[in-house]
Amino acid sequence: MVQLKQVSMRLKSIHNIQKITKTMKMVSASKFTKAERELKSARAFGYGPRKFYVSSQLQKEALGKEKEKEGERELAQPPEVKKEDVKKPRIIYVAVTSDRGLCGGVHSGIARMIRRTLAERSADAPHHKIVCIGDKSRSLLRLAYGEHILVSVKQIGRTSPIFKDASTVATAITQSGYAYDTAEIYYNQYFTPVKYVTTIVPAFSRKNIELAPKMTAFDDIEEDQLESYAEWTLAALLYYALKQSAASEQSSRMSAMDNATKNANEMIRKLSLLYNRTRQAVITRELIEIISGAAALK
């Protein structure tokens, strides 16, 4: 028979866990409201560089029109890497995650997509590098692709991301000395509080921007200005991705804590029923022993 003390301790433990998950849900709801509000102003940082890539034909796909309702906008995909090219392109994969967990499959989805992409391209370490934003992506990718990791940035996601965080990551990539051709930023595109999609947005180096098919349509630009613009577009897209991922993470954490609270309620109900049945069985057994002893003395 189940010990009454064990059930009681288990019930008390789940009550404490329920208090924690309920508090975390309330905190995530507050942070999610702030992240969703800040995301509106950050969308311009993502739209501008991608519009330039489409205008200069660095991207073949047309950029979807911005619409009033969230979730109706088509997402532009990065150009495919041609296997027949003689010179292998040098690509960096930027995984936008954070240092915190308890938010469902937000981080594991990004790591899974990067692993699948690297496997499909038969990626070698000299031509394919990984930039990990947040400790979660590093821990998920370190075992299989440790030699591919170029830069790892921590302390992201503890507070609301700002443009300084994005420029810090962009500076770390630039100062690493790795001359990349294309950067693929993997992040979670926020749609609604219950929906997000793992998405890729490309960023190009100064050399690729110079060789864009319709770059001549723009005025003559000096080399140092083009270099500065390439660095700024990388930072702007990183800032946009950080804001999108922050909103997705908070909404996912809010949903995860809500589900955990509901599961705790269900476990408390079942354990309370088990506790009452066990307690009643103990009382019944003691009464039988008392009555049997009294009957034996007669």
Side-chain angles (χ1 to χ4, degrees):
M1 183 180 291
V2 180
Q3 295 293 327
L4 197 61
K5 186 177 181 180
Q6 293 178 351
V7 178
S8 177
M9 291 176 62
R10 178 67 173 164
L11 197 58
K12 185 178 179 181
S13 175
I14 294 176
H15 268 294
N16 293 334
I17 293 173
Q18 185 189 34
K19 292 178 182 178
I20 294 172
T21 56
K22 191 174 181 180
T23 303
M24 289 185 68
K25 177 192 171 183
M26 296 172 63
V27 173
S28 297
S30 176
K31 290 184 177 180
F32 166 71
T33 303
K34 181 182 178 182
E36 190 178 30
R37 184 174 62 250
E38 292 178 349
L39 179 59
K40 294 179 181 178
S41 60
R43 286 197 175 98
F45 288 88
Y47 180 79
R50 289 183 297 162
K51 183 66 176 178
F52 168 73
Y53 292 157
V54 173
S55 301
S56 60
Q57 287 191 352
L58 276 169
Q59 280 184 265
K60 294 181 181 180
E61 293 83 358
L63 187 66
K65 295 181 179 179
E66 295 288 337
K67 299 187 178 181
E68 293 181 359
K69 293 184 178 179
E70 188 66 35
E72 292 184 359
R73 183 164 55 86
E74 298 176 1
L75 300 175
Q77 297 296 329
E80 296 181 357
V81 179
K82 297 181 180 179
K83 296 181 179 180
E84 61 268 16
D85 290 345
V86 177
K87 184 179 178 181
K88 289 185 178 180
R90 298 164 72 92
I91 306 173
I92 58 174
Y93 305 84
V94 183
V96 181
T97 59
S98 69
D99 297 338
R100 303 182 63 188
L102 298 177
C103 52
V106 170
H107 305 316
S108 59
I110 290 176
R112 191 184 307 113
M113 181 175 283
I114 291 178
R115 284 197 296 264
R116 184 168 62 245
T117 303
L118 291 174
E120 289 174 354
R121 296 177 179 176
S122 301
D124 55 345
H127 296 89
H128 299 265
K129 294 294 184 180
I130 300 174
V131 175
C132 297
I133 301 178
D135 193 53
K136 289 297 179 180
S137 58
R138 179 177 176 272
S139 61
L140 290 169
L141 296 170
R142 178 177 56 184
L143 184 61
Y145 296 99
E147 59 180 2
H148 291 73
I149 296 178
L150 178 67
V151 176
S152 179
V153 182
K154 297 183 180 180
Q155 304 298 326
I156 299 294
R158 296 184 181 276
T159 58
S160 180
I162 57 177
F163 192 82
K164 184 179 179 181
D165 297 330
S167 56
T168 300
V169 177
T171 302
I173 294 173
T174 304
Q175 292 179 352
S176 66
Y178 185 77
Y180 66 92
D181 296 316
T182 307
E184 294 183 358
I185 302 173
Y186 291 73
Y187 68 100
N188 290 301
Q189 176 81 24
Y190 169 79
F191 288 105
T192 64
V194 294
K195 180 182 178 182
Y196 63 88
V197 178
T198 305
T199 312
I200 307 170
V201 62
F204 299 94
S205 63
R206 178 188 61 81
K207 183 179 179 182
N208 278 9
I209 295 175
E210 277 183 345
L211 299 176
K214 285 192 176 182
M215 195 62 190
T216 55
F218 300 90
D219 294 335
D220 292 337
I221 303 175
E222 296 181 2
E223 186 176 346
D224 57 343
Q225 293 176 343
L226 199 60
E227 181 70 29
S228 298
Y229 181 74
E231 294 176 2
W232 182 86
T233 53
L234 177 61
L237 289 171
L238 285 171
Y239 176 65
Y240 170 74
L242 284 170
K243 284 295 186 183
Q244 289 279 359
S245 292
S248 302
E249 180 182 341
Q250 294 301 337
S251 65
S252 180
R253 182 174 289 114
M254 185 173 61
S255 299
M257 292 301 102
D258 183 46
N259 292 333
T261 304
K262 291 178 180 178
N263 292 337
N265 275 329
E266 183 65 20
M267 291 184 68
I268 288 172
R269 187 187 66 81
K270 291 181 179 180
L271 284 174
S272 297
L273 184 61
L274 177 62
Y275 177 82
N276 291 332
R277 286 178 176 175
T278 305
R279 180 172 173 270
Q280 188 64 42
V282 171
I283 294 172
T284 303
R285 187 177 68 248
E286 290 178 353
L287 287 173
I288 293 173
E289 290 174 356
I290 293 170
I291 294 171
S292 299
L297 292 175
K298 291 182 181 179

